[in-house]
Amino acid sequence: MQTPVTIIGAGLGGLTLARVLYLHGIPATVYEAEPSPMARSQGGLLDIHDYNGQIAIEAAGLMDEFRGLILEGRQQMRILDPDGTVLLDHPDDGTGGRPEVLRGELRQMLLDSLPDGTVRWGRKASGVRAVADGHEVSFADGSSVVARLLVGADGAWSRVRPLLSGVVPEYTGLAFVETYLYDADIRHPAAAKIVGGGGMGAPGPGQRIMAHRERDALHTYAMLSKPEAWFDALDGLDPRTALARIAAEFDGWAPELRELISGGDTAPILRRHYRLPGVHRWERIPGVTLIGDAAHVQGPNGEGANLALLDGSDLAELLAAHPDDVDTALARHEERMFARSEEVAAESAEMAKRITADHGKDTAKVVADGFRRMLAKKREPAERVR
Ligand SMILES: Cc1cc2nc3c(=O)[nH]c(=O)nc-3n(C[C@H](O)[C@H](O)[C@H](O)COP(=O)(O)OP(=O)(O)OC[C@H]3O[C@@H](n4cnc5c(N)ncnc54)[C@H](O)[C@@H]3O)c2cc1C
């Protein structure tokens, strides 16, 4: 009889793990802090890569459903100078290998693929401790469970991680401030035109304006490198004042780029970026492990969701391959996860340097060159467990 798996966190990693376990007939329960699938906006577009995220979706048997979620044309990418000059306009010719889907729709696809009752909503893990027959997880509602096999898939601020590692994420010095423009083609035509049909990035020294064309909105991310206290000061401001304060950081930039912020229809959503050390390993402890951001959160690098998906499917396939030896499965999982996440973390460190580098008026040009190199780079697809 396979050991039942207790998963903390119904994000992309935890749900992929549950789905692939289900396909292999291994029982799993997912405990999620949020009260329901709709409790929180799930954020914007994710590009899911053919060399990692899509391999997990294949293992989950959900490729057809995934294809149905792809927003056509969104792999188009533009890079602009702050004055609005287009420096790079990479078309979406359908061969990019990084199709874009909405995070909320991807998560719902995974939820729909699980038997009813797999996810227990409104169960926020508040503490964990080792007990005689496994690990006990306490929840904020006063309940608790004992897990013979516990997986922390609960993101950057994991409550499971302290069982394995005392390391906590540190602020990267970067935050995104997000807003949405609805009916932008009609209400904000110049801003909509400059974004184009997919993604747009306008980098300046230490800051950027980025935007994506989603299903029915333009989604803007203003990236600023500032101390945390600067962002704290935005709390409590009314939304228009907060958006105006952020737009003021881009004084002198093309008006249609600034419009992406100042014209926002929604209150700004602040996302500070935190990271764990690029090498974050721990001693093997029987019956518990981590996946996704809980194990290896990094700053913005376009890989976090892809790695979380792959960690989930890989761990499930290893557990299925070692039905009588859970700890061998966990040891192999960690070895494989450490190797791939360390490689990405090293790339992220390089990317962070590029993001914050000040090349003066050539900053956008340097970023456009880096983007061309990234597109040209051949990546080996992740190898599945057989
Ligand atoms: C603005 C932004 C843009 C991004 N863009 C991209 C991108 O384009 N491509 C990409 O690959 N990655 C991207 N990422 C990174 C990506 O979102 C994460 O790496 C990914 O979501 C990690 O998945 P996860 O399942 O490990 O954790 P999460 O998605 O964080 O899921 C964790 C789950 O655990 C739950 N939880 C948390 N604490 C508890 C608790 N105590 N008890 C129970 N449940 C709990 C949470 O509610 C959540 O549902 C982006 C991140 C941000 C912030």
Side-chain angles (χ1 to χ4, degrees), residues 4 26 66 113 259 280 285 297 305 312 347 352:
I26 303 174
F66 172 74
S113 75
E259 174 77 359
H280 177 227
I285 292 185
V297 65
E347 288 175 5

Side-chain angles (χ1 to χ4, degrees), residues 8-14 31-34 40 45-47 103 107 123-125 153-155 159 176 178 221 271 273 291-294 302-306 308:
I8 308 300
L12 298 177
Y31 294 90
E32 165 59 45
E34 290 171 4
R40 176 173 66 98
L45 285 176
L46 295 173
D47 49 321
R103 178 197 295 267
R107 188 192 198 213
R123 302 290 288 279
K124 180 174 183 169
D154 48 344
R159 293 300 181 121
F176 286 0
E178 299 181 29
Y221 303 78
R271 292 195 207 274
H273 287 280
I291 60 173
D293 277 3
E303 295 287 354
N306 286 277

Side-chain angles (χ1 to χ4, degrees), residues 4-8 27-31 137 145-152:
V5 184
T6 300
I7 303 165
I8 308 300
T29 307
V30 186
Y31 294 90
V137 184
V145 289
V146 172
R148 280 166 55 210
L149 172 45
L150 176 64
V151 181

Side-chain angles (χ1 to χ4, degrees), residues 89-355:
D89 194 353
H90 182 76
D92 182 355
D93 61 3
T95 64
R98 297 166 169 260
E100 302 271 358
V101 297
L102 284 162
R103 178 197 295 267
E105 296 183 2
L106 186 64
R107 188 192 198 213
Q108 193 59 49
M109 174 192 85
L110 291 164
L111 285 169
D112 291 344
S113 75
L114 292 170
D116 284 350
T118 304
V119 180
R120 310 284 163 87
W121 299 97
R123 302 290 288 279
K124 180 174 183 169
S126 51
V128 282
R129 65 183 182 119
V131 291
D133 43 356
H135 292 95
E136 184 185 63
V137 184
S138 310
F139 296 99
D141 64 5
S143 62
S144 62
V145 289
V146 172
R148 280 166 55 210
L149 172 45
L150 176 64
V151 181
D154 48 344
W157 302 104
S158 173
R159 293 300 181 121
V160 178
R161 189 170 54 228
L163 288 172
L164 295 159
S165 156
V167 176
V168 286
E170 62 170 25
Y171 177 52
T172 57
L174 291 176
F176 286 0
V177 186
E178 299 181 29
T179 188
Y180 290 84
L181 276 67
Y182 297 109
D183 296 325
D185 291 310
I186 295 162
R187 296 175 52 231
H188 306 277
K193 189 162 173 238
I194 209 164
V195 172
M200 184 284 301
Q207 60 191 61
R208 289 180 181 194
I209 299 175
M210 297 171 283
H212 268 141
R213 186 175 284 271
E214 294 188 352
R215 232 184 248 297
D216 53 5
L218 293 182
H219 187 168
T220 303
Y221 303 78
M223 190 206 79
L224 291 165
S225 43
K226 300 252 180 221
E228 290 192 88
W230 191 90
F231 296 103
D232 292 341
L234 296 175
D235 279 346
L237 293 181
D238 74 87
R240 289 255 70 86
T241 310
L243 287 171
R245 185 160 299 177
I246 297 151
E249 293 295 313
F250 297 90
D251 261 354
W253 289 42
E256 52 273 50
L257 286 171
R258 287 164 44 91
E259 174 77 359
L260 286 165
I261 305 167
S262 56
D265 291 317
T266 57
I269 304 162
L270 178 59
R271 292 195 207 274
R272 295 161 218 237
H273 287 280
Y274 294 86
R275 69 171 159 237
L276 285 165
V279 177
H280 177 227
R281 295 181 173 223
W282 51 83
E283 295 293 318
R284 178 90 292 290
I285 292 185
V288 56
T289 193
L290 305 173
I291 60 173
D293 277 3
H296 47 68
V297 65
Q298 290 294 311
N301 60 16
E303 295 287 354
N306 286 277
L307 287 181
L309 292 164
L310 190 58
D311 289 351
S313 70
D314 205 50
L315 173 56
E317 292 194 316
L318 284 163
L319 288 166
H322 297 276
D324 304 317
D325 190 356
V326 164
D327 281 300
T328 294
L330 298 192
R332 285 203 58 204
H333 151 67
E334 289 175 357
E335 205 179 286
R336 289 161 65 88
M337 176 176 73
F338 291 152
R340 61 178 172 255
S341 61
E342 283 167 12
E343 195 182 330
V344 167
E347 288 175 5
S348 304
E350 284 306 308
M351 196 181 285
K353 274 193 222 148
R354 282 202 301 275
I355 286 177

